[in-house]
Amino acid sequence: MAEIPVRTPTVDGINMALANAAASDTAKVGPGYTLLVNNGSGAEVDVTITVPGNTAWNAAQPDKVIDVPAGQLWSIPLHDFYADPSDGLAHIAWESTTSVTRIVLKR
């Protein structure tokens, strides 16, 4: 697993420096954390964030799937409820990593 680096903008801004998506990415979660995904491919890419735990009916929580259209840059909030209890991180899977880059920002 590759933990996506966190960048925090300063008053002067930052170079976004998005890096290639990796098959089993992880990311910090919580207030102010955002996953930026740039889909440079020619097709939509699904980004799946594992939601740990069970519902009140003891069924597995459904994972969150975000469809990022071709050629678009998307901002996805990384909520606390995405945190895996074993490591405190969100676990992210990609339908494809070809021409997909990402970064985590904390404001």
Side-chain angles (χ1 to χ4, degrees), residues 21-23 39 41 43-49 65-69 92-98 100:
N39 180 4
S41 74
E44 175 185 285
V45 171
D46 291 342
V47 179
T48 303
I49 303 174
V65 179
I66 300 101
D67 301 320
V68 180
I92 303 162
W94 309 89
E95 178 181 21
S96 172
T97 57
T98 303
V100 177

Side-chain angles (χ1 to χ4, degrees), residues 50-72:
T50 303
V51 180
N54 293 328
T55 67
W57 299 273
N58 207 28
Q61 291 281 8
D63 293 338
K64 179 65 176 170
V65 179
I66 300 101
D67 301 320
V68 180
Q72 290 193 12

Side-chain angles (χ1 to χ4, degrees), residues 2-105:
E3 185 175 334
I4 302 170
V6 176
R7 301 288 312 267
T8 302
T10 66
V11 70
D12 295 324
I14 60 168
N15 175 354
M16 299 294 276
L18 279 72
N20 293 331
S24 298
D25 276 332
T26 58
K28 288 187 172 34
V29 300
Y33 286 95
T34 302
L35 174 66
L36 293 183
V37 178
N38 186 32
N39 180 4
S41 74
E44 175 185 285
V45 171
D46 291 342
V47 179
T48 303
I49 303 174
T50 303
V51 180
N54 293 328
T55 67
W57 299 273
N58 207 28
Q61 291 281 8
D63 293 338
K64 179 65 176 170
V65 179
I66 300 101
D67 301 320
V68 180
Q72 290 193 12
L73 174 66
W74 274 54
S75 174
I76 302 167
L78 292 169
H79 301 288
D80 287 326
F81 52 79
Y82 294 141
D84 186 294
S86 67
D87 58 14
L89 301 172
H91 291 250
I92 303 162
W94 309 89
E95 178 181 21
S96 172
T97 57
T98 303
S99 299
V100 177
T101 55
R102 83 294 188 256
I103 193 169
V104 172
L105 293 180

